[in-house]
Amino acid sequence: MSSSIERSTAGMSSDRRTFLQRMAITGVALGPGAAFLSSCATGGGGDDEEGGGSEPTGDVSEDNPLGMPEDGTVEIYIFDGGFGDAYATDVHQPIFSEKWPDVTIDHNAAVDIAGELQARFVAGDPPDFVNNSGDGQLDGGQLITDGQLHSLEELLDAPSWDDPATPVRDTLIPGTVEMGARDGEMFALNYAFTVFGLWYNKTLLDENGWTVPTTWQQMMDLCAEIKAAGIAPWVYQGVTAPRYMNWPLLTMAAKLAGPEILVPIDNLEEGAWGHEAIRESAAAIRSLKENDYFLKGVEGMEFRDAQGLWARGKAVFCPSGSWLENEEADAIGEDPTFEMAMMPQPLLSEDAVMPIETVRATAGEPYIVPADAKNPRGGMEYMRAMLSVEGARGFTDTVTSLTSVAEANQGVEIQAPGLSSAKDALNAAGDNVINWMYPTWYPTMENPGIDQATGALLRADITVDEWVQQCEKVAADIRKDDSIVKQTREG
């Protein structure tokens, strides 16, 4: 266990420490638009070269540790995507307003965050709090470089909403701080906790007496039975996001050879994509197309269309994160008998280094406070309310997603079957939780870079060797681009 995890669990009860360590993550990853350290320029600038700061504008007290003005306005922007914005209007804002009745919340929801706010950042007139998510998210990495984000270190050191004796940082699942940090300083709060896996139609499996596969050979045998029954075994997110299939590909490779094979990929090392375990996993993924195990026409579909057909019983397996249940709630609701569940990715070999229970999981969905905001301390205080146990559990109930607030995930009866199975899978994984960072560090490396290569692989338009060559070229282009700030991690 890393020293950061040890520090963040020091002084806690043994039960809580064990829970936190089991939930520990290593690295950074994307959820549905969860990238934070991006690579495109936004322009503008703040007071500091890297990260903004501000002095308290209200009286600092035990009740108001961040020194927020107690009669001002907090302007917030929520990404109106897979999670919607009801969790803000119905959960977080009432919690905040109950404590601060004289503070006005100026609520705004937007699908295209950059389209709405980029000009305001450039003009030095951003809102106080931004849910920076979605395909049109602002470039978090460039915002840091330009000094346009307020450091959240004071928030981390402030007393938590529920227990003044416990600082905010000690309420978070280990790894959450590192996800939103640069050079050890946090600039983004990644709030949603995502478990990635292979989602399946449990109703169809139960009705047909099919068993959840634990090895790839079992998966292929089951796919043959499913196809014979007139049902498509798999869907993926089509032309929009073939990268969703990178997730099982890399997870199965890491299970086979160990998580250390992911480190050279993140560090842009030459030859990283050519590791034998990655090749073997890519060949397994390609074999789904070779055997006609994908839903017909899926390669040309939009991601919601493909997922919707899966939710309507047209296929059995779908790769995704634990947001899928909420994202496809309407389609799922059309069939009261439909029940979804999550399974870990199968083992490519029974001699795999990591156990079948291994899953990929990470904190995601970034929230930021602009450095040039009129009321940045109001924005941080709003975050403090979000990080209350009530706020986090309300988020889970509303959008069917776990959060990065550790206590809020304990002892909670989750009614949604998909999220419940994801929570069970995470608990079963214990310390066998993996992740990788390159999609967040270098978004264009994944999309359109690796995305295009994997799309061609899934159509069987290219061989595994050609896929490796294309992935290597994408990594080399990033490696050689001096305009991109490079990051590294240790194994």
Side-chain angles (χ1 to χ4, degrees):
M1 205 63 63
S2 71
S3 58
S4 63
I5 293 172
E6 290 167 356
R7 287 196 300 272
S8 63
T9 58
M12 299 181 183
S13 68
S14 60
D15 288 345
R16 183 155 185 252
R17 187 180 300 111
T18 298
F19 172 80
L20 287 173
Q21 289 174 340
R22 285 189 172 187
M23 298 284 274
I25 57 176
T26 56
V28 187
L30 282 172
F36 169 58
L37 299 177
S38 304
S39 62
C40 303
T42 58
D47 295 332
D48 301 318
E49 203 171 284
E50 190 168 292
S54 67
E55 295 298 322
T57 46
D59 294 332
V60 177
S61 65
E62 183 175 329
D63 285 339
N64 188 12
L66 295 170
M68 174 192 71
E70 299 180 21
D71 58 355
T73 296
V74 180
E75 184 185 7
I76 72 171
Y77 266 79
I78 302 295
F79 169 59
D80 191 6
F83 292 147
D85 70 334
Y87 70 87
T89 57
D90 298 351
V91 179
H92 295 152
Q93 291 175 28
I95 292 172
F96 181 93
S97 295
E98 183 177 1
K99 182 169 185 176
W100 303 110
D102 294 331
V103 176
T104 300
I105 295 177
D106 180 2
H107 173 92
N108 302 272
V111 173
D112 182 1
I113 292 295
E116 292 276 342
L117 298 179
Q118 186 164 330
R120 291 187 58 183
F121 271 82
V122 172
D125 181 36
D128 305 309
F129 171 97
V130 180
N131 172 201
N132 186 31
S133 190
D135 289 339
Q137 66 191 144
L138 292 155
D139 179 348
Q142 191 64 44
L143 289 175
I144 294 175
T145 299
D146 291 345
Q148 292 184 329
L149 293 190
H150 197 291
S151 170
L152 300 180
E153 291 296 309
E154 285 183 85
L155 168 69
L156 295 176
D157 293 333
S160 63
W161 192 270
D162 300 301
D163 180 7
T166 303
V168 167
R169 71 170 70 243
D170 286 352
T171 68
L172 303 176
I173 293 173
T176 302
V177 172
E178 290 79 1
M179 279 210 54
R182 178 184 283 183
D183 297 329
E185 185 173 8
M186 190 170 95
F187 292 93
L189 168 64
N190 289 279
Y191 187 67
F193 195 84
T194 300
V195 184
F196 296 83
L198 194 55
W199 299 84
Y200 64 95
N201 186 323
K202 187 175 184 299
T203 305
L204 281 176
L205 258 65
D206 290 347
E207 287 177 350
N208 290 277
W210 293 326
T211 302
V212 174
T214 59
T215 68
W216 190 254
Q217 185 57 57
Q218 291 175 3
M219 169 62 76
M220 296 302 285
D221 292 342
L222 177 58
C223 284
E225 292 187 49
I226 294 171
K227 180 181 175 181
I231 305 169
W234 279 65
V235 298
Y236 65 91
Q237 281 67 14
V239 68
T240 313
R243 61 186 169 275
Y244 279 45
M245 288 295 282
N246 285 335
W247 307 341
L249 192 161
L250 291 177
T251 300
M252 291 194 299
K255 287 186 180 186
L256 180 61
E260 60 272 10
I261 70 170
L262 302 172
V263 177
I265 289 178
D266 289 337
N267 291 345
L268 304 176
E269 294 180 19
E270 186 175 355
W273 288 92
H275 191 284
E276 187 56 38
I278 295 175
R279 289 178 180 272
E280 185 170 340
S281 192
I285 294 299
R286 190 180 189 275
S287 70
L288 294 171
K289 174 62 175 179
E290 294 168 355
N291 288 278
D292 196 26
Y293 290 157
F294 287 134
L295 179 68
K296 185 176 181 179
V298 71
E299 67 275 4
M301 294 181 187
E302 296 296 308
F303 82 102
R304 289 298 304 276
D305 293 335
Q307 291 176 175
L309 289 171
W310 168 80
R312 293 177 176 90
K314 301 302 183 182
V316 175
F317 297 105
C318 177
S320 190
S322 49
W323 63 79
L324 179 64
E325 189 168 22
N326 185 70
E327 193 167 57
E328 297 302 329
D330 290 344
I332 291 170
E334 294 174 9
D335 181 1
T337 68
F338 176 85
E339 183 177 351
M340 64 185 289
M342 195 210 87
M343 58 173 279
Q345 308 294 353
L347 298 177
L348 291 171
S349 168
E350 293 182 355
D351 296 329
V353 171
M354 302 190 78
I356 181 62
E357 291 83 6
T358 302
V359 296
R360 178 189 176 212
T362 184
E365 196 69 8
Y367 296 78
I368 57 176
V369 172
D372 291 334
K374 293 183 177 67
N375 187 6
R377 294 183 175 274
M380 287 193 289
E381 180 68 3
Y382 186 87
M383 285 184 176
R384 201 167 71 97
M386 286 174 61
L387 292 169
S388 66
V389 171
E390 181 185 0
R393 287 182 176 170
F395 180 87
T396 296
D397 290 341
T398 304
V399 306
T400 319
S401 171
L402 300 174
T403 72
S404 298
V405 181
E407 188 177 343
N409 298 328
Q410 291 179 278
V412 178
E413 289 293 330
I414 298 176
Q415 299 301 317
L419 184 62
S420 179
S421 71
K423 183 171 180 284
D424 290 344
L426 187 62
N427 290 336
D431 290 335
N432 295 302
V433 177
I434 64 170
N435 211 350
W436 50 88
M437 303 182 187
Y438 78 87
T440 298
W441 284 352
Y442 316 112
T444 59
M445 177 175 167
E446 178 174 66
N447 181 22
I450 305 298
D451 219 8
Q452 293 182 346
T454 299
L457 182 76
L458 295 172
R459 297 189 302 270
D461 289 344
I462 59 174
T463 65
V464 170
D465 285 344
E466 289 169 333
W467 175 81
V468 170
Q469 291 169 7
Q470 290 188 23
C471 293
E472 283 290 311
K473 182 182 185 305
V474 171
D477 289 344
I478 298 293
R479 184 169 62 246
K480 296 173 183 176
D481 189 339
D482 293 336
S483 70
I484 299 175
V485 177
K486 308 302 191 298
Q487 302 189 57
T488 60
R489 71 175 175 113
E490 297 180 0

